[in-house]
Amino acid sequence: MATSESQNPSSSFSSKPENKSRYDIFLSFRGLDTRKKFTDHLFHSLLREGFQTFRDNDEIERGHVIESELEKAIKNSKMSVIVLSENYAKSTACLFELQTILELYKKSDHFVLPVFYEVEPLRIKEQSKKLDFEEKEVIPEKEKEWSAALKEVARMAGKVFPGESDGYEAKFIEEIVGELKSKLVGNHLRVGHHLVSMDWRTMQVTSWLKERSTKVGILLICGMGGIGKTTIAKVVFNSNHARYDASCFLQNISEVAKGHNGLVRLQRQLLSDILRKEVRNVNDVDDGCRRMKYVLSNKRVLLVLDDVDQIDQLIALAGQQDWFSSGSKIIITTRIESMMNAHENYKVFRPEKLSIDDSLELFSWHASGQKHPIQGHMELSKRFVHRCDGLPLALEVLGSSVRRKNIDVWKSELQKLEAISDNTILRKLEISFDSLQDDHDKNMFLEIACFFVGKLKTETITILEGCDYAALA
């Protein structure tokens, strides 16, 4: 497996936590061209799908106050749709929006979809060379910035009408809504409710993803079991997948690969996620590699390979650098960094253990359902935390094992824990399993751990009840 990143694997990064969004979508358009036609139809289609969509209804010339409000609306949106029409570039208000959107796109996970409505991208590129404003006074510096913004958006992958959808506007709008829907909700992964200090744990990976490069980048998230590699990858994926043409998160690769045709099943899932349709006819691993090379080379993708422990898994799912389009990013979670060849260029992120304060908070959420230990349990909680050594999984499992238990049970479990060597994490996690009341509960625990991780609670209970487990008891 090869890449073209040239940075040192141990290099560090920095970033800032993401802001909350008020709107799902910001619509930028030229009112005189499309307000009462295409943009109105698109706007109401988005509303029917339940998306919070910002559309400016002000027809008058906008002053600085209105520009400030528009800028705020753009920055408070998850994504923007830019409806580029023949006269879009004549409006300084539209160009202000365009520049603001592209600036946000470059430094955040803000997704942008250009829609070329009854105008070709080449025409927009031509307009960028010679702007013809309807407003009389324009600062030369602004004109230069807006020209650059027009040129940039003309190069972006977007939707073109009437060139697509056989010229049917309703079908064209339906395709736009479908693409936006897939970006907003289609790939969201389930993570825990109490992600303590996750902003700083993910900021290095997020910063790496936002590095704009024409090369293919590979990042290894390496560390011992229970350190939080998969959770970090999920949080980063949820926040950034919308910036890419396509994305895929393959979970539990080492486990799935052991099953019958495991690698072929993973290849089918990858192809299905990238193409956004079910792919069944993959004959063998070599066939899957050929098909993936063709599919991946046409799209800028975000691919996460979770829990890789064999080189053949990498070869089957990520192949060579020339499989991927420029700007694609690949994240691999693994305990084994040595799988990568010495000559390959990649970066490595090693998650740190949680601090004492963060560990106490995470343990408390799972042990008592609140941020701090309940009254009378502070010292016992600190002893549990000390033995977990900052490992998120141990803190979550052991906290849950004493939830709603009396203080005598806490002391008993703690005695077992303190009798185990500090570095034997699996033995520590076995305590929560052994503390279950009987074989019924232990069997149900194993069923959930093996088959229902990530599933909805109601769905899991229904299935277990159908298998004669007293899941509601």
Side-chain angles (χ1 to χ4, degrees):
M1 180 176 178
T3 127
S4 49
E5 282 282 2
S6 59
Q7 280 88 346
N8 189 311
S10 63
S11 57
S12 60
F13 316 84
S14 63
S15 182
K16 294 181 179 180
E18 299 294 320
N19 295 323
K20 298 292 184 180
S21 298
R22 178 181 174 188
Y23 301 104
D24 293 314
I25 299 164
F26 179 93
L27 278 179
S28 176
F29 61 97
R30 173 66 166 148
L32 295 177
D33 286 355
T34 67
R35 180 183 296 277
K36 296 180 180 179
K37 301 186 296 179
F38 174 79
T39 298
D40 188 59
H41 297 156
L42 175 60
F43 175 72
H44 286 287
S45 293
L46 292 169
L47 291 185
R48 283 193 293 271
E49 288 292 334
F51 296 129
Q52 293 292 321
T53 306
F54 182 93
R55 177 185 65 169
D56 172 44
N57 287 314
D58 187 3
E59 296 281 359
I60 65 173
E61 182 179 352
R62 301 170 219 179
H64 294 296
V65 175
I66 295 177
E67 283 190 353
S68 175
E69 291 301 312
L70 288 171
E71 183 177 7
K72 187 184 300 183
I74 292 169
K75 291 181 178 179
N76 286 333
S77 300
K78 297 176 183 176
M79 56 176 61
S80 292
V81 176
I82 306 169
V83 182
L84 294 145
S85 52
E86 178 64 32
N87 296 310
Y88 184 92
K90 291 185 176 182
S91 168
T92 57
C94 288
L95 293 175
F96 167 80
E97 292 176 0
L98 175 63
Q99 182 185 1
T100 305
I101 289 168
L102 293 183
E103 287 175 352
L104 184 61
Y105 167 75
K106 292 174 184 177
K107 62 184 180 182
S108 73
D109 58 357
H110 191 84
F111 174 72
V112 176
L113 179 64
V115 176
F116 300 92
Y117 183 76
E118 295 185 341
V119 63
E120 292 292 328
L122 183 59
R123 172 63 177 156
I124 298 298
K125 187 176 180 180
E126 291 172 350
Q127 290 178 349
S128 70
K129 298 176 183 177
K130 187 177 180 181
L131 296 177
D132 181 19
F133 303 113
E134 292 179 349
E135 290 81 353
K136 294 180 179 179
E137 296 182 4
V138 176
I139 301 172
E141 187 60 33
K142 276 294 179 186
E143 182 174 347
K144 186 182 299 184
E145 292 173 355
W146 291 338
S147 176
L150 272 177
K151 186 176 182 180
E152 181 175 356
V153 77
R155 292 197 302 261
M156 295 175 68
K159 306 286 290 181
V160 182
F161 186 83
E164 301 178 27
S165 312
D166 300 320
Y168 290 96
E169 190 169 293
K171 183 180 178 182
F172 184 64
I173 289 175
E174 183 179 328
E175 290 175 358
I176 291 173
V177 173
E179 181 166 346
L180 295 173
K181 190 174 181 180
S182 71
K183 291 292 185 182
L184 282 169
V185 300
N187 289 331
H188 191 81
L189 301 170
R190 296 174 65 83
V191 292
H193 294 296
H194 307 298
L195 302 178
V196 175
S197 226
M198 189 53 67
D199 283 340
W200 71 260
R201 297 199 85 206
T202 60
M203 67 170 57
Q204 295 185 20
V205 182
T206 301
S207 178
W208 171 78
L209 278 177
K210 290 178 180 177
E211 291 177 358
R212 299 191 61 78
S213 172
T214 58
K215 300 178 180 179
V216 177
I218 294 181
L219 175 74
L220 269 63
I221 302 180
C222 288
M224 65 184 298
I227 196 67
K229 301 184 296 295
T230 298
T231 301
I232 290 171
K234 284 183 176 182
V235 171
V236 170
F237 182 86
N238 285 342
S239 299
N240 292 276
H241 70 80
R243 291 177 54 81
Y244 294 80
D245 298 329
S247 57
C248 176
F249 191 112
L250 293 177
Q251 299 189 56
N252 303 318
I253 287 174
S254 63
E255 188 65 31
V256 176
K258 295 174 185 175
H260 178 65
N261 280 337
L263 289 177
V264 173
R265 286 164 52 200
L266 289 164
Q267 288 178 325
R268 284 202 298 260
Q269 182 186 336
L270 192 155
L271 288 166
S272 298
D273 286 355
I274 298 300
L275 294 172
R276 299 194 184 99
K277 64 180 181 181
E278 187 174 5
V279 173
R280 296 181 179 179
N281 57 334
V282 176
N283 300 320
D284 51 41
V285 172
D286 288 341
D287 180 42
C289 288
R290 286 190 294 270
R291 297 190 62 182
M292 290 192 325
K293 180 179 180 180
Y294 174 76
V295 169
L296 294 170
S297 64
N298 297 319
K299 298 176 183 290
R300 180 172 169 270
V301 304
L302 172 61
L303 173 62
V304 179
L305 305 178
D306 173 52
D307 192 21
V308 176
D309 64 359
Q310 298 290 335
I311 188 63
D312 65 320
Q313 298 161 7
L314 281 180
I315 294 172
L317 300 172
Q320 300 295 321
Q321 175 193 343
D322 61 4
W323 280 22
F324 295 87
S325 176
S326 60
S328 294
K329 299 278 189 175
I330 304 166
I331 296 175
I332 302 166
T333 73
T334 182
R335 303 182 191 186
I336 311 168
E337 182 183 344
S338 59
M339 286 187 303
M340 305 297 290
N341 293 328
H343 70 276
E344 290 178 329
N345 295 310
Y346 58 91
K347 290 188 176 181
V348 177
F349 169 61
R350 297 179 178 84
E352 297 179 5
K353 296 177 182 179
L354 294 179
S355 67
I356 295 297
D357 290 341
D358 289 338
S359 295
L360 189 60
E361 179 181 343
L362 183 59
F363 177 82
S364 298
W365 278 120
H366 289 273
S368 57
Q370 61 187 43
K371 187 174 183 178
H372 305 289
I374 57 178
Q375 187 174 2
H377 288 66
M378 174 62 80
E379 291 307 314
L380 286 173
S381 295
K382 287 182 177 180
R383 288 167 64 185
F384 269 106
V385 164
H386 174 71
R387 288 295 170 177
C388 290
D389 195 27
L391 292 176
L393 179 60
L395 291 160
E396 293 172 11
V397 172
L398 293 174
S400 298
S401 72
V402 296
R403 189 179 177 91
R404 299 191 181 93
K405 304 289 179 64
N406 61 47
I407 200 164
D408 290 333
V409 173
W410 279 55
K411 291 178 179 178
S412 174
E413 298 302 304
L414 186 58
Q415 286 178 350
K416 297 176 188 176
L417 184 63
E418 291 179 336
I420 298 173
S421 171
D422 283 343
N423 61 359
T424 314
I425 182 62
L426 290 179
R427 288 283 310 282
K428 294 177 181 179
L429 299 182
E430 284 174 3
I431 289 177
S432 63
F433 177 77
D434 294 334
S435 68
L436 297 174
Q437 296 179 8
D438 50 37
D439 289 341
H440 169 276
D441 287 354
K442 290 180 179 180
N443 289 333
M444 185 165 64
F445 175 92
L446 292 174
E447 294 282 357
I448 293 172
C450 293
F451 302 111
F452 296 99
V453 173
K455 300 292 185 183
L456 293 173
K457 179 180 178 181
T458 52
E459 176 186 350
T460 302
I461 289 175
T462 300
I463 295 174
L464 291 174
E465 289 286 329
C467 297
D468 296 326
Y469 284 104
L472 291 172

